[in-house]
Amino acid sequence: MSKQICELAYQGASTAVGLAEKLLTEAIEKHGAEAPVKYPDTAYKLPIVTALSGEDITTLGEIVPVLQRIKANNLRPEPELGNALLSGEATLYAGEIIEALRYVGNDQPDEAPYTGFLPDRILRKCGVPLVDGTIPGVAVITGKAKDAKAGAALVKDLQSKGILVMLVNDIIEQCIAENIKVGLDYLTLPLGKFTQIVHAVNFAARAGLAFGGVPKGERERMLEYQKNRVPAFVIALGELDAVTVAIGAGALFMGFPIVTDQALPPELQIPGLLEPQPDYDKIVKLALELRNIKLKIVDIPVPITVGPAFEGETIRKKEAWVEFGGGRSPGFELVRMADADHVEDGKIEVVGPEIDEMPEGSVFPLGIIVDIYGRKMQEDFEGVLERRIHYFINYGEGLWHVAQRDLCWLRISKGAQEAGFKIRHFGELLIAKFKSDYPAIVDRVQVTLITDAQVIDEKIKIAREKYQARDARLKGLTDESVDTFYSCTLCQSFAPNHVCIVSPERVGLCGAVSWLDAKASNEITPTGPNQPITKGECLDEAKGMWKNLNDFLYTSSNRTLEEVNLYTLMDKPMTSCGCFEAIMAVLPLTNGVMITTREHSGDTPCGMSFSTLAGTCGGGVQTPGFMGIGRRYVVSSKFIPADGGLGRIVWMPKELKEYLKDELVERAVQIGLGADFVDKIADETVGITEEEILPFLEERQHPALKMDPLM
């Protein structure tokens, strides 16, 4: 690292630390040294401080010695590489403190479009896409592009590749001026200005704490984790002043390479870490190479941008050119396994009107039939692939899809229609994605798209017969009816010691991997994360322990875990990575368990919010009494049967109760709890402490109160 860069890093760090000192003094004078300081909705206080030093900051006064230590230990003027990186670390601390002070007395100091601090729920929502490669990397773009059009094209390129984009400074306004879609729905987060770039770093630090199980304060382990497991890089646009260089040194300290559009002379470059690329068409390519991010590029012949960045896009009725299904017209989608002779690879047939014949704002029926031939294709995989239609269509910018089967609901936006999107392009998209994502089981694909109402009426009957046959098959698919479970170690890219065991009646805790999904995945990639495990000798039928599962667990958890029980919360439960949809926890006073979800940010009867609970049981450790789960596990017949099953649930958020209501009622009736059992479960409208909900449970005569003690 050149002398000039080192000197600039020192100057910038000194400026940032000086500003942090000044603002801290003012905050203490205004609020007092005992005033609480924290970011909202996180279990990790000030995440950078927590991760790197382990200091548990709760008040303004506790920040003072942190700043004093950083000033004494990190600000070294001698122009050396190590000192420049220490200056970078000091800048991260200063930025964290400056930003945290903005939240004192105000949980929402930022206004749209700026996000400011990204709460834990966003980190965990991005967890599964990051580990399964849907989000292959994280790009932090800071500064100002040479012009708005070039900056917008840069962001659009990253969006099309599925990269999670975080924007800081003028590039935000440039993108908005060019109508680039921003927000979590588009995986493009406008953090804010200046020190708000630190929210990208504390996001990465929390990945190490939440998923990696890196203990707080273990600085070197955290830096190793960031370097090896967090696929992040920085694109710095515009002039590099001292503070920008110091922030860049902070990125390098964390192990994140930087690409700048400035023409740096050789003496200012650091090969592999800090490299220039003035050609905007080549910046993304270089950044991906520096971070060793490999992309599977699929050429899809459609006139819109396709990528995971658009998966969360919402198209309201007034924005739609045409709408299908959703109760306003008939609609269905069906994937069928077929013989080679019945599938003409690449064939797309539209039966009925094309979009040119559909007036603006109109409603039409739509049937989607995907016929697949594959030498390794199985009938069990039809439903697995059919569910992918939802994701694949939503990857299209200007396309919207919800629900599935004969409940599907689709919209094509006016923007997509103006760009030239046709009904037949649904077929182009589906064929390209099925063949690229499932090459081991998909050899040929043909798609039939039906917009003729009379033909829909005929074909929907065939689809419904297929659905009924599948449902009957799935009902007979129990843990006892199979001799093989599957592992899921996908999350080990973030949580090295975590192992999910997926059975027919226990979905993966992320909610995204069922037993059939795992089975299909193993066919696609036999050496991948979903490995078959023959159950073999049962060691404990009630708690769900098998010798072969234990042997697999021990080896696959890097010899950190020896035994696991699938059917209990209280004794050697399954580990949790951090991507779980919900968390279960024991409530001793009520003799039951509560469940909270990632979407519920409020307090719960165990005294902890979801974020705090997640910090307790994540990172691939066994925590008896606490466990991450998938939402649908709640209605499984194998829901903690060793602990009393469904009847143990005494509290859950109202949203989850409504989401699962019909299935909860059906399950409660099946096991003799009665159709009114759901009404005996408390939620936040009843109370958020055990003392508040206990009278409600007693009045409703909740069955958990009469069960054997859990503890």
Side-chain angles (χ1 to χ4, degrees), residues 285-411:
K285 181 176 183 294
L286 175 58
L288 295 175
E289 289 172 353
L290 292 182
R291 201 62 175 117
N292 195 31
I293 296 172
K294 307 294 184 183
L295 299 177
K296 182 170 64 176
I297 304 299
V298 180
D299 184 24
I300 304 177
V302 295
I304 57 174
T305 304
V306 177
F310 303 103
E311 184 184 346
E313 180 181 15
T314 297
I315 298 172
R316 294 173 177 81
K317 184 178 179 181
K318 65 180 180 181
E319 299 165 339
W321 180 270
V322 63
E323 180 177 328
F324 311 94
R328 300 191 66 197
S329 67
F332 74 92
E333 50 200 25
L334 178 67
V335 168
R336 302 185 298 194
M337 182 177 73
D339 296 333
D341 294 341
H342 294 89
V343 180
E344 182 182 334
D345 192 31
K347 179 182 178 182
I348 301 170
E349 182 181 7
V350 179
V351 181
E354 245 297 354
I355 198 168
D356 312 85
E357 304 169 73
M358 299 176 177
E360 179 180 337
S362 59
V363 177
F364 273 77
L366 180 65
I368 301 174
I369 300 176
V370 181
D371 289 310
I372 292 176
Y373 162 73
R375 282 160 291 181
K376 292 187 176 181
M377 182 67 180
Q378 299 177 27
E379 195 170 5
D380 277 345
F381 298 161
E382 289 178 339
V384 174
L385 299 185
E386 193 172 282
R387 289 196 297 275
R388 299 306 299 173
I389 292 175
H390 167 78
Y391 297 98
F392 293 159
I393 289 178
N394 275 327
Y395 285 173
E397 184 179 11
L399 307 182
W400 182 79
H401 181 289
V402 295
Q404 58 182 314
R405 291 189 170 185
D406 55 352
L407 300 175
C408 61
W409 186 10
L410 297 85
R411 285 173 177 164

